[in-house]
Amino acid sequence: MSDLSGKHGLVVGVANKRSIAWAIAQAAGAAGARLALTYQGERLEENVRELSEQLESAIVMPLDVTNDQQIADVVATIDRNFGGLDFLLHGAAFALKAELDNPFLETSREGFRIALDVSAYSLIALTRAVVPLMERRGGGSVVTLTHLGSQRVFTNYNVMGVAKAALEASVRYLASDLGARNIRVNAVSAGPVKTLAAMGIKDFSSILHVNRERAPLKRNVELAEVADAALFLLSPQSRAVTGEILFVDAGFNITGI
Ligand code: NAP
């Protein structure tokens, strides 16, 4: 098991108990880390505060990742409470419903901008903001969550696939920029999991079905399995790994016909 005792982490992207970010927060908490959790908007505050009570002295703050002032406020609060940061888990993604329902050809300029801003640019903005806190610890680990739709066409994934391609390229460029400061940047590419965000994708249940049929392991992945892989990347056990996209998809990504 990865040991995160004495480490402090920021987890962005918890909406409810089915969120991948929540599974990772639980795993990191169990491994000994002290966490800061964020919620997007008042709608989710109660959910996230309630969940955070299951963790040891977590701090909870609002964060819309498109808002630079809120990013600065979150970092200032972490600085005051933790005095530094060892890891960042980035699990925020969003696309307008219309962009996931209509043919990709109909992607609007505004829909493209929003999806790329929330789901890809936010990794750059958040990472830049936490670098000084990580440097104070002698380094750190940043992990984001992606999907194979970045490389292959998945029906109805549409602009989110383009956002994930930008996210994965950002992982590599950030890893290159930050390696000399001992800050690593990686992604977990998860197989389909039934979460709030996934339910926005039209006919998501058929994606689950095809994955189960075709994946070498003949099943879908569980939240805890994605969390365990993320924990590895967040912890010093992966200290020589950076710029990597680690698939946790029961092997689906290797399949052809
Ligand atoms: P989720 O529980 O709905 O988490 C997505 C989170 O992103 C939510 O907390 C959402 O808040 C947040 N978010 C959206 N816009 C935001 C903003 N402007 N500022 C801050 N947070 C914002 O779904 P999930 O499936 O666990 O998603 C987590 C990550 O895993 C995403 O990057 C997703 O693409 C990725 N992923 C998911 C799957 C899957 O099958 N589920 C597979 C591979 C990768 P709101 O609810 O308020 O929008």
Side-chain angles (χ1 to χ4, degrees):
M1 263 302 276
S2 305
D3 182 12
L4 294 178
S5 359
K7 306 270 186 206
H8 292 90
L10 167 61
V11 175
V12 176
V14 178
N16 57 36
K17 64 176 187 206
R18 288 195 192 83
S19 296
I20 298 176
W22 172 241
I24 297 168
Q26 283 180 297
R34 190 169 169 217
L35 300 177
L37 300 185
T38 66
Y39 56 88
Q40 203 250 346
E42 283 170 20
R43 185 174 50 91
L44 294 179
E45 178 173 3
E46 202 183 318
N47 262 356
V48 178
R49 285 202 186 279
E50 226 174 272
L51 288 172
S52 74
E53 282 161 20
Q54 298 174 33
L55 301 167
E56 184 102 2
S57 57
I59 55 175
V60 179
M61 297 163 281
L63 175 62
D64 177 336
V65 294
T66 63
N67 184 325
D68 287 327
Q69 186 54 54
Q70 281 191 15
I71 292 179
D73 292 346
V74 162
V75 170
T77 307
I78 290 175
D79 196 5
R80 269 198 312 280
N81 283 269
F82 297 166
L85 194 71
D86 300 289
F87 63 85
L88 161 67
L89 185 279
H90 171 272
F94 179 76
L96 294 173
K97 184 90 177 81
E99 312 301 347
L100 303 172
D101 287 350
N102 299 332
F104 178 69
L105 184 64
E106 305 300 328
T107 304
S108 69
R109 193 180 295 276
E110 184 60 358
F112 187 94
R113 187 194 65 72
I114 292 171
L116 273 281
D117 188 9
V118 176
S119 319
Y121 182 75
S122 61
L123 178 72
I124 305 168
L126 274 169
T127 302
R128 184 169 58 237
V130 300
V131 159
L133 300 189
M134 289 185 168
E135 279 187 303
R136 225 178 280 155
R137 301 276 202 204
S141 173
V142 176
V143 173
T144 187
L145 298 166
T146 187
H147 182 260
L148 182 61
S150 60
Q151 298 173 33
R152 315 261 179 90
V153 173
F154 282 72
T155 312
N156 302 327
Y157 203 60
N158 296 353
V159 74
M160 192 51 79
V162 179
K164 292 304 190 192
L167 180 72
E168 291 175 19
S170 303
V171 164
R172 290 184 285 272
Y173 278 94
L174 287 169
S176 172
D177 269 6
L178 295 172
R181 302 187 220 184
N182 195 31
I183 296 172
R184 302 179 294 107
V185 186
N186 292 289
V188 170
S189 184
V193 186
K194 218 169 180 173
T195 62
L196 200 61
M199 297 320 286
I201 297 162
K202 211 166 57 179
D203 208 12
F204 183 74
S205 52
S206 71
I207 296 181
L208 280 171
H209 176 75
V210 172
N211 202 85
R212 188 166 49 235
E213 296 279 300
R214 293 213 198 138
L217 294 178
K218 300 294 168 213
R219 64 178 180 84
N220 282 309
V221 299
E222 289 171 13
L223 278 172
E225 295 171 328
V226 179
D228 283 350
L231 205 62
F232 163 70
L233 291 175
L234 291 172
S235 80
Q237 278 196 323
S238 61
R239 59 199 172 278
V241 181
T242 195
E244 186 65 28
I245 313 295
L246 174 61
F247 284 95
V248 183
D249 64 349
F252 182 85
N253 73 94
I254 65 162
T255 61
I257 292 175

